[in-house]
Amino acid sequence: KFAEFFFVMMAGRVGAVVAARRRHRPARPIRHDRVSIARQRERDAAILRAAKLRRIMKAYDTNKSGKLERDQLVKLLTDMDLSTPAGQEPSQDEVDWVLKLADEEGDGCVNLKELEVAVTSWSTFTSKRTELEATLDKYDKSGSGRLEESELKEYLTDLNGGKDVSDEEVQWVLKQADAMGDGGINKLELVRATAEWYGFVARKQSCCVMT
């Protein structure tokens, strides 16, 4: 397809010539190129995130159990939420949603390893709360408070620039985003559904470029 045999032969020959030349050259010092600098920055950012998460755990884990129990998690989510009046606690559904995403051990608590998912998910949702509520109102034709499969398809079609979205693609997004397992997408799950769709499109476009 891409003249693979010729390419392999030429690559082998060029590689042999380059290797021969390098044997007669003094070794060059290793440079910190852009890739290594980017990796250093990523590592530094990861260290800062880990330190921040440890501080959060220490502040809200008042009984020093090594995890945030439900009431402690509620306090954290309340303090983080700038989209509602100060001191307004999240709804039970909202707390359940965060636990569904973050609680890998299934003990109803959030440990240090699970904390980043809990914090990131909640922060993303609250920063987009008004937008998500407006989106849900627009596409929730049935008034159920969530997007059923047909309504989700209409939403994804609009995200796709008006191009048709297959039933299989809609069902895949629904499966990925329906954390509560009720067959629909509520405003909390809409963040995940949107992100999954854009990720799916990016992967599909990447495959098309590669082939």
Side-chain angles (χ1 to χ4, degrees), residues 189-209:
E189 297 163 335
L190 199 53
V191 175
R192 179 72 177 272
T194 305
E196 290 290 353
W197 173 252
Y198 281 129
F200 170 78
V201 171
R203 288 190 297 273
K204 185 163 68 171
Q205 289 175 344
S206 176
C207 289
C208 290
V209 171

Side-chain angles (χ1 to χ4, degrees), residues 74-92:
V74 167
K75 180 69 169 68
L76 170 60
L77 300 182
T78 302
D79 291 347
M80 285 181 60
D81 188 3
L82 301 179
S83 65
T84 57
Q88 180 172 317
E89 294 185 353
S91 68
Q92 293 298 312

Side-chain angles (χ1 to χ4, degrees), residues 106-122:
D107 58 359
C109 302
V110 174
N111 60 34
L112 184 58
K113 180 182 176 182
E114 301 163 338
L115 186 57
E116 184 169 9
V117 172
V119 168
T120 302
S121 301
W122 183 244

Side-chain angles (χ1 to χ4, degrees), residues 48-59:
L48 290 174
R49 283 198 306 272
K52 182 178 180 180
L53 292 171
R54 286 194 296 272
R55 289 196 298 271
I56 291 173
M57 180 62 74
K58 183 177 181 181

Side-chain angles (χ1 to χ4, degrees), residues 10-170:
M10 291 305 296
R13 290 177 182 176
V14 171
V17 172
V18 171
R21 288 178 177 175
R22 284 178 176 172
R23 284 197 294 270
H24 298 287
R25 288 182 181 177
R28 294 180 180 178
I30 298 174
R31 296 180 302 174
H32 293 288
D33 56 15
R34 293 179 181 177
V35 174
S36 62
I37 292 174
R39 287 177 178 172
Q40 179 67 41
R41 287 175 178 169
E42 288 176 3
R43 190 184 72 171
D44 291 346
I47 291 172
L48 290 174
R49 283 198 306 272
K52 182 178 180 180
L53 292 171
R54 286 194 296 272
R55 289 196 298 271
I56 291 173
M57 180 62 74
K58 183 177 181 181
Y60 289 90
D61 178 22
T62 52
N63 60 353
K64 303 188 185 306
S65 65
K67 59 183 69 176
L68 299 184
E69 295 160 15
R70 190 179 181 95
D71 61 324
Q72 297 165 338
L73 178 62
V74 167
K75 180 69 169 68
L76 170 60
L77 300 182
T78 302
D79 291 347
M80 285 181 60
D81 188 3
L82 301 179
S83 65
T84 57
Q88 180 172 317
E89 294 185 353
S91 68
Q92 293 298 312
D93 285 345
E94 289 170 343
V95 180
D96 289 343
W97 174 73
V98 172
L99 285 171
K100 282 279 187 180
L101 294 178
D103 181 19
E104 293 183 0
E105 293 190 359
D107 58 359
C109 302
V110 174
N111 60 34
L112 184 58
K113 180 182 176 182
E114 301 163 338
L115 186 57
E116 184 169 9
V117 172
V119 168
T120 302
S121 301
W122 183 244
S123 178
T124 302
F125 168 69
T126 55
S127 67
K128 302 285 186 182
R129 185 192 291 271
T130 302
E131 179 183 334
L132 292 168
E133 289 174 347
T135 299
L136 194 66
D137 289 341
K138 178 180 178 180
Y139 293 95
D140 179 22
K141 305 295 175 58
S142 63
S144 64
R146 64 184 186 180
L147 299 186
E148 310 297 341
E149 190 169 322
S150 61
E151 297 164 338
L152 177 61
K153 183 172 185 175
E154 182 182 352
Y155 172 59
L156 295 179
T157 300
D158 283 354
L159 288 184
N160 203 34
K163 297 177 182 178
D164 287 340
V165 176
S166 71
D167 291 340
E168 291 76 13
E169 290 170 338
V170 175

